[in-house]
Amino acid sequence: MNNLIDKNSLIAFIMAGDPDLETTKNCILSMEKAGADLIELGIPFSDPIAESSVIQSANLRALKSETYLSKIFEVIKEIRAVSNIPIIFHSYVNPIFNYGYEQFFEKCKETKVSGIVSPDLPLEEKNEIKEYADKNGINIISIVVPAPKERIERIAKEATGFIYFIPSISSTGVLGDDANELNLIVETIKNVTDTPVAVGFGINTPAQAEYFSKKADGIILGNGVVKIIEKNGKLSAEPVYNYVKEMKTAIIK
Amino acid sequence: MTNTKFGQFGGQYIPEVLMNEIVNLEKAYEYYKKDEKFNKELDELSKKYAGRPSLLYFAKNMTEDLGGAKIYLKREDLNHTGSHKINNVLGQALLAKYMGKKRIIAETGAGQHGVATATAAALLGLECEIFMGLEDTVRQALNVYRMELLGAKVHAVTFGTQTLKDAVNEAMAEWVRRTDDTLYVLGSVMGPHPFPTIVRDFQSIISKEAREQILEETGKLPSVVMACVGGGSNAMGMFYHFINDKDVKLIGCEAAGHGINTEKHAATITKGSVGIFHGMKSIFCQDKHGQIAPVYSISAGLDYPGIGPEHAYLHSIGRAQYVSVTDVEAVEAFEYLSKTEGIIPAIESAHAVAYAKKIAPTMRKDEIMIICLSGRGDKDVAAIAKYRGRIVNE
């Protein structure tokens, strides 16, 4: 499977169906225009335990508008009529399990969704979906967090698409600036794989975007786009464009 | 690594940020469960602090009244803090201490597990924070105060359905935020491996004692062993040492709330389907899109949309049977046991008593049934009075 990002990539998270799928579609297209390289499209779940409160609320808004997988695939088809922007899903396992792994990954292939990152599917449970993902050529995006070196290496060696690196965790969603640890982990990963690394969690300002894009191949905007949509609702396409443009400019500076 | 699953159920479906800590916990548990000093200290706490062994009480009046099987009650309600929860909590809190942790966190539904955790923390000198759904903090206000009295900090969880499920979400999220000095003391046989095994091991003292006690008193094994099931910790503890006794029927009683044909129930095995949530593959109440369903029971302790993976497994191989009991039946059983035996059961345990009332009369007089009386009912008195239309000042 191919690498999904190059150097200086910008990955933007957006929750499907927040507040409705029409808005999601418009925002994805405007993010593409603004220079986003890959869209991380959230599939809503009732109990998103591993998210910031900003994204938790987005999950609930999306469920309120009855955003389910079948409808999400429909909207991706509409997007595909006008755009080839790379898309990966961000989903808890249960909605996919209930949709059916076989059907889910076939649909991913059909709509050119190139990967999935799942917050509740660590290396230990990857086999839950691996067979189906492999069969359809869909990347299972591996998450790396600060952990013992052997674990990071084990994950990195198996990783395809790109590696989703979350450097540090804090309840406020603000990134700690332990640059040393960050460099060390990226180096550990780079020593065992050619799969590119994207850094996520808590990147909100252009200065942060510029800083972190130098540390890795790409950066992931988690809360940023979601916050704009929370504030602007259906009228989010333009402010989302401006925000992503500003961040992308900072990266390629 | 040990096997993380029971058949297809169980596993470790958790965020990568927790994996390292879960691996540490698994290693520590595998080590200390064979450690002489750890086991000696836990045994002493169980006996000299929690009051074990708990009585196996022959419910003579109930037996005569129902006219069938001889009914025995395993009196977990007599434990310190008033329920079976202390068995697990002492084990896990001690494990936390041996692991060098300074702080324990826990979820709670009815408040029993929270009270037990706060108690163990006070005893062992650990910091303690409890997560409880806002709705449950109202239903079980006394237990909130009890926990605070014991030195714990109680957080009311306002996300989602504001009940046990959300309390688990929030406790897990807190553990994600802070693992270094903190152990999550999970209250039931659920969550990611190794929790279902750890909690089952610590709770299995119930059936270990009960099996010895019944053999000593009657010279034979029971025909039926019964317990209520939410996540399923008292049931797993009550079943465990009887699993290999193939002739002993194991029955778990789920909460049917307003009835299993309504939307207001928590009857996971009766009405649910296989899914992946809270770190485990198991059976859950969920919609066809895999969204976890809001559940309901008069009992805050059974108000949970899932069930421990070992129960899902015992169900799948036909070793244990799971039935459902409505609010109405549970309340009647609550009152029945109070009047018949002078024992006020927890409303959770009353679900098992209710099913016993149904099947005991169909059994022979030489057969034996053991019901796990998982907790005492003091905490429920005001709520049941209200259910009956009486306002009692707590």
Side-chain angles (χ1 to χ4, degrees):
Chain A
M1 270 166 274
N2 296 331
N3 291 343
L4 293 180
I5 58 168
D6 297 319
K7 286 259 172 232
N8 295 328
S9 283
L10 184 138
I11 299 167
F13 174 86
I14 183 170
M15 174 56 64
D18 171 25
D20 56 37
L21 280 167
E22 188 63 25
T23 306
T24 306
K25 181 177 134 187
N26 294 338
C27 286
I28 288 176
L29 294 175
S30 76
M31 288 194 282
E32 183 186 24
K33 275 195 207 105
D37 298 284
L38 188 141
I39 303 298
E40 181 188 0
L41 183 59
I43 296 170
F45 184 49
S46 52
D47 295 82
I49 58 163
E51 313 301 335
S52 64
S53 60
V54 171
I55 292 179
Q56 281 190 347
S57 303
N59 275 270
L60 294 193
R61 288 194 298 273
L63 285 177
K64 215 170 167 191
S65 66
E66 301 190 340
T67 307
Y68 303 122
L69 261 169
S70 46
K71 293 187 195 170
I72 295 173
F73 279 121
E74 285 309 308
V75 123
I76 298 175
K77 267 188 204 163
E78 290 174 27
I79 292 169
R80 286 294 173 237
V82 292
S83 161
N84 273 320
I85 184 154
I87 296 175
I88 64 161
F89 278 132
H90 172 112
S91 181
Y92 287 79
V93 192
N94 205 41
I96 302 170
F97 176 79
N98 277 268
Y99 188 82
Y101 294 142
E102 188 135 23
Q103 197 192 346
F104 174 79
F105 285 103
E106 279 169 12
K107 277 277 186 188
C108 285
K109 189 181 178 184
E110 190 187 317
T111 56
K112 295 189 204 121
V113 172
S114 31
I116 173 167
V117 58
S118 180
D120 55 357
L121 207 66
L123 191 63
E124 281 72 4
E125 302 297 347
K126 205 171 160 184
N127 283 339
E128 180 76 24
I129 57 171
K130 192 169 187 314
E131 177 196 341
Y132 309 96
D134 286 354
K135 201 171 124 191
N136 291 287
I138 312 299
N139 294 282
I140 303 171
I141 306 300
S142 303
I143 296 173
V144 163
V145 303
K149 195 172 173 224
E150 315 80 74
R151 182 168 180 89
I152 293 174
E153 287 176 346
R154 203 146 57 90
I155 295 170
K157 276 179 191 162
E158 279 192 30
T160 65
F162 69 92
I163 288 166
Y164 198 117
F165 173 33
I166 305 172
S168 77
I169 300 299
S170 75
S171 53
T172 52
V174 174
L175 193 74
D177 59 351
D178 195 340
N180 217 5
E181 183 186 68
L182 184 81
N183 293 336
L184 218 63
I185 292 177
V186 173
E187 197 185 304
T188 303
I189 296 171
K190 292 288 181 191
N191 279 340
V192 297
T193 182
D194 292 329
T195 304
V197 182
V199 192
F201 215 85
I203 299 175
N204 288 308
T205 65
Q208 285 172 322
E210 187 188 347
Y211 175 80
F212 287 106
S213 66
K214 303 269 181 296
K215 302 277 176 192
D217 303 302
I219 61 152
I220 305 161
L221 305 180
N223 287 342
V225 172
V226 178
K227 272 188 191 156
I228 292 171
I229 295 173
E230 182 175 32
K231 193 174 152 207
N232 297 280
K234 293 179 184 194
L235 303 174
S236 295
E238 198 187 323
V240 163
Y241 172 89
N242 294 336
Y243 172 69
V244 171
K245 180 98 188 160
E246 188 187 16
M247 297 299 262
K248 180 70 184 184
T249 309
I251 295 174
I252 53 179
K253 202 152 71 176
Chain B
M1 191 168 61
T2 50
N3 183 16
T4 68
K5 292 194 173 157
F6 308 94
Q8 67 157 318
F9 301 107
Q12 300 179 306
Y13 299 87
I14 49 168
E16 174 62 22
V17 278
L18 281 180
M19 272 316 301
N20 194 41
E21 193 57 24
I22 280 282
V23 170
N24 288 343
L25 173 63
E26 184 181 8
K27 279 187 199 149
Y29 180 64
E30 286 303 315
Y31 179 81
Y32 287 115
K33 80 175 187 189
K34 293 174 214 135
D35 181 63
E36 203 178 321
K37 185 164 170 269
F38 178 84
N39 282 303
K40 191 164 169 264
E41 195 171 342
L42 180 58
D43 188 56
E44 262 181 36
L45 286 175
S46 292
K47 286 177 178 148
K48 294 178 182 166
Y49 186 69
R52 300 212 72 87
S54 70
L55 295 176
L56 184 71
Y57 166 76
F58 175 50
K60 184 162 167 282
N61 298 342
M62 191 175 165
T63 300
E64 280 172 7
D65 181 57
L66 296 174
K70 284 198 185 75
I71 298 169
Y72 284 82
L73 305 176
K74 181 60 176 163
R75 298 289 307 274
E76 294 300 305
D77 60 317
L78 296 178
N79 296 338
H80 180 44
T81 74
S83 83
H84 70 292
K85 293 292 187 190
I86 194 81
N87 304 330
N88 167 47
V89 157
L90 285 175
Q92 282 199 61
L94 197 61
L95 187 61
K97 205 160 177 181
Y98 274 69
M99 287 173 74
K101 304 287 184 188
K102 304 263 180 291
R103 174 178 177 258
I104 53 179
I105 57 171
E107 85 293 346
T108 196
Q112 297 300 87
H113 176 57
V115 168
T117 306
T119 299
L123 177 72
L124 297 174
L126 297 162
E127 271 177 60
C128 180
E129 291 185 38
I130 304 294
F131 296 84
M132 189 172 187
L134 180 66
E135 189 182 322
D136 290 336
T137 62
V138 176
R139 285 199 276 193
Q140 303 286 349
L142 262 181
N143 270 342
V144 173
Y145 188 69
R146 238 172 232 132
M147 289 183 264
E148 288 168 353
L149 204 55
L150 291 159
K153 190 170 172 197
V154 180
H155 301 274
V157 179
T158 55
F159 187 81
T161 56
Q162 306 186 352
T163 59
L164 182 53
K165 170 189 81 145
D166 310 284
V168 174
N169 291 349
E170 202 43 47
M172 276 191 182
E174 174 62 18
W175 203 29
V176 166
R177 290 189 284 262
R178 190 170 157 188
T179 51
D180 284 3
D181 65 344
T182 300
L183 183 66
Y184 179 12
V185 174
L186 232 164
S188 194
V189 286
M190 46 157 290
H193 173 79
F195 283 114
T197 300
I198 293 180
V199 179
R200 178 254 279 155
D201 287 353
F202 288 140
Q203 290 296 0
S204 68
I205 185 90
I206 301 174
S207 51
K208 184 168 181 284
E209 288 173 6
R211 196 174 181 282
E212 286 166 10
Q213 287 165 322
I214 200 74
L215 283 174
E216 193 180 310
E217 185 160 334
T218 70
K220 63 180 201 175
L221 289 170
S223 304
V224 169
V225 160
M226 251 184 355
C228 63
V229 183
S233 71
N234 93 85
M236 216 44 245
M238 187 71 230
F239 291 174
Y240 188 66
H241 287 281
F242 290 107
I243 291 175
N244 290 330
D245 300 319
K246 297 295 175 204
D247 294 330
V248 178
K249 217 169 153 183
L250 310 174
I251 303 177
C253 303
E254 301 189 311
H258 291 174
I260 53 170
N261 294 320
T262 70
E263 300 219 318
K264 296 215 146 208
H265 66 79
T268 306
I269 286 195
T270 311
K271 297 290 283 186
S273 58
V274 177
I276 296 166
F277 179 48
H278 277 166
M280 58 182 170
K281 183 178 275 188
S282 190
I283 300 175
F284 298 95
C285 293
Q286 56 187 335
D287 70 12
K288 63 177 181 192
H289 304 289
Q291 306 299 338
I292 303 303
V295 288
Y296 163 82
S297 164
I298 190 170
S299 141
L302 303 182
D303 199 353
Y304 180 69
I307 190 164
E310 198 168 3
H311 282 295
Y313 173 68
L314 291 175
H315 169 71
S316 73
I317 60 168
R319 180 63 191 95
Q321 180 196 351
Y322 296 83
V323 299
S324 61
V325 171
T326 63
D327 282 1
V328 173
E329 294 167 325
V331 170
E332 279 169 12
F334 178 90
E335 294 163 341
Y336 175 84
L337 195 69
S338 303
K339 292 201 170 70
T340 314
E341 294 290 346
I343 297 170
I344 303 174
I347 189 66
E348 288 78 16
S349 324
H351 284 71
V353 175
Y355 197 70
K357 279 176 66 193
K358 277 189 194 169
I359 63 165
T362 70
M363 294 169 67
R364 293 192 318 269
K365 289 192 174 187
D366 63 336
E367 287 184 291
I368 294 166
M369 168 195 292
I370 305 179
I371 307 167
C372 186
L373 207 69
S374 55
R376 66 176 181 227
D378 307 43
K379 68 180 175 57
D380 300 308
V381 169
I384 300 301
K386 193 175 162 204
Y387 180 87
R388 289 299 189 206
R390 286 254 307 267
I391 301 301
V392 181
N393 212 337
E394 283 188 27

